[in-house]
Amino acid sequence: LHRGLSLMLTASGAHERAGAVAAIDALMEVETEENAARLPRFAGYLRTVLQHAGNDAETLEAACAALGHLARAGGALTADFVDAETKRALDTLREAERPARGAPSRERAAHELRLLSATLVLRELARSAPTALYAHVGETLRLLWPPLCAPGAPLRAAAAGALRACLELSAQRQA
């Protein structure tokens, strides 16, 4: 099972990675004695998908939905897992500089996919693990402005969704 998932996750076709994400999401519901060992492995698999350069927006959306599912199902592992993924997403937003004008379109597309992945992760973690993400809401809100101004509609929509999730989280905490 894990060998098959690993092969699908590193495949060149986005449809294969999307299939692996669907399988991982479904397997989270299966109760076994190995749950404590499987959840970190699933987190690693999802991280592989989120960092793959050949993704499309649909695959990233599915991977982030599965990441949210994992955050809700993670139990004791959730806080460390959410903190690591939040930091990784914030680092991506922090380090991402706009490609220079005249940069090859392939480079601009890869840049936008990295930002899309980061914003989708933050949106999903704000929805699925609000307590763990709350400590990072201020920085998240600050770093979401550049993606909100991005030329690509999927990135702007993801950034708006992350902004909304963070504002709702903040409002709930203040109430």
Side-chain angles (χ1 to χ4, degrees):
L1 175 69
H2 292 289
R3 181 165 156 57
L5 287 172
S6 293
L7 290 173
M8 290 173 70
L9 291 167
T10 57
S12 61
H15 64 282
E16 292 167 302
R17 287 186 303 281
V21 168
I24 291 165
D25 197 37
L27 288 169
M28 280 187 249
E29 294 297 322
V30 178
E31 292 291 326
T32 69
E33 294 108 27
E34 299 176 356
N35 271 5
R38 286 183 335 154
L39 294 179
R41 184 176 275 184
F42 290 161
Y45 289 159
L46 293 172
R47 189 174 308 117
T48 298
V49 173
L50 292 168
Q51 294 175 343
H52 197 285
N55 278 325
D56 56 17
E58 185 179 328
T59 303
L60 290 174
E61 283 275 1
C64 287
L67 193 72
H69 186 181
L70 183 61
R72 288 186 304 276
L77 303 172
T78 300
D80 292 339
F81 158 70
V82 170
D83 193 52
E85 292 307 314
T86 300
K87 287 179 181 176
R88 191 178 329 279
L90 291 172
D91 285 345
T92 298
L93 292 179
R94 209 178 290 114
E95 294 170 5
E97 295 179 21
R98 287 189 88 120
R101 285 190 172 188
S105 62
R106 187 174 189 191
E107 185 179 318
R108 285 192 309 270
H111 172 74
E112 197 152 312
L113 276 174
R114 284 190 303 275
L115 293 176
L116 177 62
S117 177
T119 56
L120 290 170
V121 165
L122 292 169
R123 180 199 70 193
E124 196 58 44
L125 293 178
R127 292 175 179 170
S128 301
T131 302
L133 188 81
Y134 185 73
H136 304 282
V137 166
E139 184 177 15
T140 301
L141 292 172
R142 185 179 60 78
L143 292 171
L144 283 173
W145 292 109
L148 281 165
C149 301
L155 178 54
R156 286 193 313 269
L163 179 68
R164 178 183 178 147
C166 288
L167 290 173
E168 287 174 346
L169 170 58
S170 184
Q172 288 171 357
R173 284 295 185 120
Q174 292 175 4

